[in-house]
Amino acid sequence: MDTIDDLFPQEQSAIARAVPRRRQEFAAGRRAARDALAGLGRQAAPIAVGSDRAPIWPDGCAGSISHDAEFAVALVARSDDFRCIGVDMEPDLPLPDDVTAEVLQGGEVAIAQTGGNADRAIFCAKEAAYKCLYPITHEVIGFDAMTVSFPAQNRFCAMLLRETGPFPKGFVLNGTVLRAASRIVSMVWLDASQPR
């Protein structure tokens, strides 16, 4: 089990006042991130927390973390290959009605009515897209800032409905959505060759 004792001092201080469950989830997320960094040949190093609560990745790396009470997932890549990455993990359950009303835009309502917890898949895709964009934009955006479609099995497109940082209205992020262990996991990335 991952505990606060497994964290670097900088990481421990970031969650010193958190409740035990939050500390355990944070530690599991950092463990997953360090395992991913090791896969790139990187030595264990702190993944600090910025003033905006976002992870600060080691130089030369881009990444994203998602966790809940049972699982943690992290994606990490060399920033020479990927500008940014977003990952989100959600329970494979319907969204609560009050959240659904906030999340769904236009055609997403029809997608959600197809069943299979499509409303949660839309939520998960938007969260992953937001996490991907945030390291570049440093802009907090709502669910109404993008719309999600599923052009093929296990694929999604998140299109911006307004300009966000350097990204114009209509900009599309392409991602992957998977189901495993009663979770929905969405991943999206921008490769380093995309215009800045």
Side-chain angles (χ1 to χ4, degrees), residues 15-135:
I15 56 163
R17 296 184 181 154
V19 297
R21 178 180 160 190
R22 166 71 179 130
R23 291 198 313 248
Q24 183 176 340
E25 290 178 16
F26 181 93
R30 289 313 192 262
R31 171 62 181 264
R34 275 193 269 290
D35 288 348
L37 286 166
L40 294 178
R42 301 291 298 253
Q43 291 189 354
I47 303 162
V49 177
S51 60
D52 57 2
R53 309 298 301 156
I56 299 173
W57 295 96
D59 288 343
C61 293
S64 185
I65 301 170
S66 187
H67 50 73
D68 63 22
E70 295 181 61
F71 297 101
V73 62
L75 296 178
V76 179
R78 290 178 182 86
S79 53
D80 287 347
D81 298 323
F82 295 93
R83 288 176 67 191
C84 49
I85 299 172
V87 65
D88 191 56
M89 177 179 58
E90 299 291 332
D92 197 352
L93 299 168
L95 281 176
D97 290 341
D98 59 329
V99 177
T100 300
E102 181 183 343
V103 171
L104 301 183
Q105 307 295 311
E108 294 171 347
V109 174
I111 294 170
Q113 292 170 346
T114 63
N117 302 326
D119 55 348
R120 184 75 72 160
I122 292 167
F123 176 89
C124 190
K126 287 186 177 188
E127 286 288 313
Y130 170 74
K131 288 179 172 184
C132 183
L133 294 175
Y134 184 80

Side-chain angles (χ1 to χ4, degrees), residues 2-17:
D2 297 294
T3 68
I4 193 167
D5 295 331
D6 298 322
L7 299 173
F8 284 89
Q10 303 94 311
E11 296 167 332
Q12 290 179 7
S13 65
I15 56 163
R17 296 184 181 154

